[in-house]
Amino acid sequence: MVKKIVPIFILALLAALCLPGGEAMPADGGAKIPAGEKYVALTFDDGPRQGTTDRLLDGLKERGVKATFFLIGQQIEDNAGLVARMAEEGHQIGNHTWSHQRLDGILPDAAAQEVARTETALETLLGGGDYWLRPPYGQVAEGVDFSVPLVKWCVDPRDWESRDADNVAQAILDNTAPNSIILLHDIYPTSVDAALRVVDQLRAEGYWFVTVEELLWLNGVQPEPGHMYRTGEG
C-alpha cells in the first residue's frame, strides 16, 4: 500500500536543506518547495546491466545523487548485487515489467503477470515494499488494476536512438525545468556518460536531484495507486 505518512527520507532531506519543517508541511503531508528551489528526478529504465549500471552507481555515489531505477524482472537474479547496492545507497527501485512487454497490447491477465513476476523478484531480494511501476513505452492496458503509482516522464532525450552522449546530454539540458522527470536507460555507456554530465551541469545551475517519490512529496503530492505521474507536480 502507498504510504500515508511523510517518509523518513523526506524528513532527512528537509533537515539537510535547512527547511523549516513545521512551516513546510501542508495538510496532505507533503512538503512545500520554497521559492527558487529547483528539484528534478533522474530515472533509468531497462537495467540492471553489468558494466554500465555499476559505473553509473559509482558516478552517482561520488556526486551524492539519488536516482530512480525501473528494473526488468528477468535481469534481476543475475544482477542481484547491483540491485542490492541500489537499495543500500538510497536509490528508489521500481518495476519495468518482467520482459519489457508492452502493457497496452496484451490481455489484462498477461499484463498483470508481467508486473507481478517482477514485483515478486524484487520482494524476494529486497523484501516487501512499494515498487512503483513504469510501463514500457509509458502505456498500460485498460482493465488492469494497479496497486502502486505509475511513473512516466516529461524529458525524453531518446538516448536509445542516438547513442550519442553529447546529443543526449544537450537534449536533457535544453528541456529540463524544475520538477522534471528525466528518462534515460542505464544499459548504454553513452547514456551513463550523458547522465553524469547532466548531473554536473544542472547542479552547477542550482538543481537538486531526488527520487521520483521524493519529488512528489516535496510538491505536496500524495501518490495514489494506478495514477500516472509525469512530473513532480502530477
Side-chain angles (χ1 to χ4, degrees):
M1 298 298 292
V2 175
K3 299 177 181 65
K4 298 301 183 182
I5 60 174
V6 180
I8 292 175
F9 61 74
I10 288 296
L11 298 178
L13 180 61
L14 294 175
L17 296 177
C18 299
L19 301 183
E23 298 176 4
M25 309 303 294
D28 62 5
K32 293 180 181 177
I33 295 180
E37 296 290 355
K38 298 186 290 187
Y39 296 92
V40 291
L42 270 179
T43 68
F44 296 93
D45 287 6
D46 294 1
R49 176 173 289 179
Q50 292 287 344
T52 52
T53 303
D54 48 347
R55 187 162 66 85
L56 174 62
L57 290 171
D58 289 343
L60 295 177
K61 183 177 181 180
E62 179 183 347
R63 292 161 173 80
V65 165
K66 301 297 184 289
T68 302
F69 291 85
F70 293 98
L71 307 184
I72 299 293
Q74 62 187 6
Q75 295 168 198
I76 290 173
E77 183 175 0
D78 289 341
N79 295 284
L82 286 175
V83 180
R85 180 182 172 186
M86 290 174 188
E88 290 166 1
E89 295 181 357
H91 301 289
Q92 184 178 355
I93 297 173
N95 185 331
H96 199 42
T97 74
W98 182 256
S99 62
H100 205 265
Q101 174 70 53
R102 293 188 69 109
L103 299 184
D104 60 336
I106 59 177
L107 294 174
D109 286 349
Q113 183 65 17
E114 278 280 324
V115 175
R117 289 185 72 186
T118 300
E119 185 170 338
T120 297
L122 288 170
E123 289 180 347
T124 299
L125 179 61
L126 301 177
D130 293 330
Y131 299 108
W132 296 11
L133 174 67
R134 171 167 281 164
Y137 312 100
Q139 304 297 324
V140 296
E142 294 185 5
V144 180
D145 293 326
F146 296 99
S147 61
V148 294
L150 313 180
V151 182
K152 201 169 180 179
W153 57 82
C154 63
V155 177
D156 179 7
R158 299 177 70 87
D159 57 324
W160 54 270
E161 184 176 56
S162 72
R163 313 282 182 90
D164 184 302
D166 291 336
N167 289 343
V168 171
Q170 194 59 53
I172 295 171
L173 295 172
D174 288 345
N175 292 283
T176 295
N179 294 314
S180 291
I181 296 176
I182 301 166
L183 169 65
L184 284 165
H185 299 79
D186 54 309
I187 60 174
Y188 304 120
T190 50
S191 298
V192 173
D193 293 339
L196 298 179
R197 290 186 205 173
V198 164
V199 167
D200 291 340
Q201 180 60 43
L202 290 181
R203 286 180 68 182
E205 296 176 13
Y207 279 86
W208 293 82
F209 286 87
V210 295
T211 67
V212 172
E213 186 173 10
E214 290 170 342
L215 189 63
L216 292 175
W217 277 98
L218 285 165
N219 279 283
V221 177
Q222 185 167 305
E224 299 179 3
H227 185 85
M228 182 84 79
Y229 296 93
R230 294 169 173 81
T231 75
E233 297 176 307

